[in-house]
């Protein structure tokens, strides 16, 4: 089924009416989230909802629902669409008003749009690993906001895609930040390195689960930027996101990483992550 949450209503796709002067459409003036659904239930829903409200606050957008009401809206949408394994996409824009850069003078209602999709877990890619390409990170300096403005991200992803790669590894000069829509990790001599959660990256919910998994399996973590100049010397490399989970990167810029196969620590993390999914599904 194909219900869409449009503001406070569940409607059919064709009932949605979006304004030509919606600020999301004209300026990318809004924020979004992607939440995983496993076996009909949302994974780490609270964390995603908290992050959405944090992103909103950072752009001075007031979401007109309490977190509990919002959570129930997403839950009802998933139920209405009978999603099993998939995702919810939700975005909120600052609303519609005559085009001008500054915020609308008169308060306008934000516009919420949410829909669901069946998405399989990328099992074969997770087992075999993917290739990535290093690309200069030319985005703005508030990458901690999950903003609808994604030009820097999509230009990098397109370039990676045109090179036959699954993801872009973004770097500012010699500093590796993150992926176009994922976080990046290297493992060298039994230590995991990943960029700290500063303004230069989006602090992934998957990233937070992974750091907890590292603790469980006894893999030391150093939240410190990785250097581009030594990226090929990693023993293992992987990326993470809500839809890609823990995705081994076995080739960077055409160079094999480690053995050229998903590494042992990466596989242990995948197992630990899977246990968290199982726990959540049966909670
Ligand atoms: C969403 C996103 C991530 C991954 O976050 P998750 O919560 O793990 O899905 C990483 N980087 C960017 C730029 C993102 O937009």
């Amino acid at each position: 089924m194909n219900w869409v949450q449009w503001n406070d209503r569940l409607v059919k796709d064709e009932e949605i009416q979006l304004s030509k002067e919606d600020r999301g459409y004209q300026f990318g003036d809004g924020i979004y989230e992607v939440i995983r659904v496993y076996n009909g239930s949302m994974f780490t829903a609270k964390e995603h909802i908290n992050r959405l409200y944090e992103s909103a606050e950072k752009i001075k957008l007031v979401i007109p629902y309490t977190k509990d009401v919002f959570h129930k809206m997403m839950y009802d949408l998933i139920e209405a669409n009978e999603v099993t394994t998939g995702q919810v996409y939700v975005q909120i824009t600052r609303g519609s008003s005559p085009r001008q850069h500054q915020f609308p003078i008169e308060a306008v209602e934000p516009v919420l749009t949410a829909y669901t999709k069946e998405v399989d877990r990328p099992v074969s890619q997770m087992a075999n690993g993917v290739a990535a390409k290093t690309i200069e990170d030319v985005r703005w300096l508030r990458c901690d906001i999950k903003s609808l403005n994604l030009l820097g991200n999509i230009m990098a992803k397109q370039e990676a895609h045109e090179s036959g790669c699954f993801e872009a590894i973004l770097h500012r000069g010699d500093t590796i930040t993150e992926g176009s829509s994922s976080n990046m990790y290297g493992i060298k001599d039994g230590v995991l390195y990943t960029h700290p959660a500063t303004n230069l990256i989006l602090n992934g919910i998957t990233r937070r689960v992974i750091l907890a998994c590292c603790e469980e399996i006894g893999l030391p973590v150093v939240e410190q930027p990785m250097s581009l100049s030594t990226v090929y010397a990693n023993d293992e490399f992987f990326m993470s996101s809500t839809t890609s989970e823990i995705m081994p990167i076995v080739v960077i810029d055409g160079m094999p990483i480690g053995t050229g196969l998903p590494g042992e620590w990466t596989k242990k993390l995948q197992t630990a992550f899977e246990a968290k999914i199982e726990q959540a599904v049966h909670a």
Side-chain angles (χ1 to χ4, degrees):
M1 268 170 282
N2 234 337
W3 293 96
V4 178
Q5 183 76 37
W6 182 41
N7 299 321
D8 54 1
R9 294 201 290 143
L10 261 186
V11 300
K12 287 294 187 186
D13 219 1
E14 55 276 12
E15 291 177 69
I16 301 180
Q17 288 165 16
L18 295 175
S19 161
K20 65 179 180 297
E21 288 186 313
D22 186 290
R23 294 179 62 94
Y25 183 50
Q26 290 190 326
F27 300 122
D29 185 4
I31 39 126
Y32 77 104
E33 278 294 327
V34 178
I35 309 173
R36 245 305 183 187
V37 178
Y38 295 117
N39 208 6
S41 63
M42 281 184 282
F43 183 63
T44 54
K46 243 198 192 118
E47 288 81 354
H48 281 279
I49 293 167
N50 284 338
R51 188 173 64 187
L52 182 74
Y53 279 69
E54 282 162 20
S55 290
E57 201 177 322
K58 288 171 179 174
I59 67 162
K60 302 188 164 78
L61 189 161
V62 180
I63 299 176
Y65 312 102
T66 65
K67 287 182 185 177
D68 286 342
V69 167
F70 182 87
H71 192 146
K72 184 162 188 315
M73 277 163 47
M74 296 304 109
Y75 179 84
D76 289 345
L77 174 66
I78 288 163
E79 214 173 49
N81 288 340
E82 298 176 358
V83 186
T84 48
T85 299
Q87 67 178 40
V88 185
Y89 173 84
V90 53
Q91 67 167 48
I92 303 178
T93 76
R94 203 180 303 278
S96 172
S97 73
R99 185 178 185 280
Q100 56 168 16
H101 286 61
Q102 69 269 32
F103 297 173
I105 302 164
E106 290 188 30
V108 298
E109 282 294 293
V111 174
L112 178 151
T113 326
Y115 59 90
T116 66
K117 199 168 87 164
E118 287 286 329
V119 190
D120 287 337
R121 301 183 58 212
V123 278
S124 94
Q125 282 168 318
M126 285 195 291
N128 298 313
V130 296
K133 181 179 184 182
T134 58
I135 295 172
E136 185 69 35
D137 189 346
V138 298
R139 299 174 301 163
W140 72 332
L141 297 174
R142 291 306 307 276
C143 298
D144 55 309
I145 301 170
K146 214 164 172 72
S147 148
L148 292 177
N149 274 277
L150 289 172
L151 266 178
N153 309 64
I154 65 181
M155 295 303 286
K157 179 79 172 200
Q158 178 62 17
E159 186 181 335
H161 178 73
E162 284 174 10
S163 303
C165 291
F166 183 79
E167 177 60 304
I169 298 173
L170 302 177
H171 60 91
R172 291 188 190 265
D174 191 47
T175 295
I176 292 177
T177 50
E178 60 172 338
S180 75
S181 60
S182 61
N183 294 112
M184 291 290 167
Y185 315 78
I187 300 173
K188 179 72 182 165
D189 299 328
V191 178
L192 180 137
Y193 297 86
T194 195
H195 197 287
T198 65
N199 62 306
L200 297 183
I201 71 160
L202 196 282
N203 185 2
I205 305 301
T206 320
R207 179 184 181 278
R208 302 176 205 183
V209 176
I210 288 168
L211 296 189
C213 290
C214 286
E215 176 123 26
E216 284 173 21
I217 67 169
L219 175 59
V221 172
V222 176
E223 290 184 71
Q224 198 175 279
M226 288 180 278
S227 161
L228 177 67
S229 60
T230 55
V231 70
Y232 312 126
N234 278 289
D235 301 324
E236 305 182 27
F237 210 86
F238 69 89
M239 55 174 266
S240 77
S241 76
T242 291
T243 38
S244 292
E245 300 183 10
I246 296 175
M247 184 64 77
I249 291 177
V250 294
V251 174
I252 300 176
D253 300 335
M255 307 274 282
I257 300 305
T259 60
L261 295 169
E264 291 309 314
W265 281 115
T266 306
K267 286 195 270 190
K268 272 188 206 163
L269 280 174
Q270 286 176 323
T271 305
F273 189 82
E274 204 143 317
K276 300 249 185 245
I277 298 174
E278 284 299 312
Q279 277 168 21
V281 164
H282 296 116

